[in-house]
Amino acid sequence: QVHLVESGGGTVQPGGSLRLSCEVSGSIFSINIMGWYRQAPGKERELVASISDIGSTNYADSVKGRFTISRDNAKNTVSIQMNILKPEDTAVYYCHANLRPGPISRSFTYWGQGTQVTVSS
């Protein structure tokens, strides 16, 4: 089994910062892409940022210049530093990992349980 545990959500005023972290544990041979998605009420889940095993990053246009994603391959963790937060960043944020549980297995996608981020004055 594979588990993704997120931490770091909460409520912050506009212009503030939050840092989300996610630890992947369990049966892991290799982790390819790690990332963060978010889902606001009434909207579809959308990609916020992703990072490959060699550090290549991808960001949604709405967060470029404000959010920074990073990962620690030794600890199987991915984090996202969110600065200059806006009310429209309010959503449930989900950690995501595409990984191989074993040396001969195909890749599977796993999700965390989600953590609420609320940006409000």
Side-chain angles (χ1 to χ4, degrees):
Q1 285 190 335
V2 175
H3 301 279
L4 279 67
V5 179
E6 301 132 333
S7 60
T11 300
V12 65
Q13 292 186 343
S17 299
L18 280 175
R19 184 178 180 86
L20 306 181
S21 294
C22 173
E23 180 178 6
V24 184
S25 62
S27 178
I28 303 167
F29 176 73
S30 64
I31 304 177
N32 306 316
I33 301 291
M34 304 182 82
W36 293 91
Y37 283 69
R38 67 186 181 188
Q39 188 167 19
K43 294 187 176 181
E44 294 186 353
R45 190 173 297 190
E46 63 175 0
L47 174 68
V48 178
S50 64
I51 184 167
S52 74
D53 54 350
I54 59 171
S56 297
T57 58
N58 182 41
Y59 293 93
D61 288 343
S62 60
V63 306
K64 284 181 180 177
R66 299 188 297 123
F67 291 11
T68 303
I69 191 170
S70 60
R71 66 188 277 176
D72 185 331
N73 291 330
K75 298 180 179 179
N76 292 334
T77 60
V78 60
S79 299
I80 188 164
Q81 178 66 40
M82 306 186 293
N83 298 328
I84 317 176
L85 283 161
K86 304 175 181 180
E88 50 264 44
D89 294 318
T90 296
V92 178
Y93 284 69
Y94 296 91
C95 177
H96 159 277
N98 180 266
L99 62 88
R100 294 169 60 196
I104 60 171
S105 68
R106 67 175 181 88
S107 296
F108 294 87
T109 296
Y110 296 88
W111 295 91
Q113 79 283 0
T115 185
Q116 178 70 44
V117 171
T118 301
V119 184
S120 174
S121 56

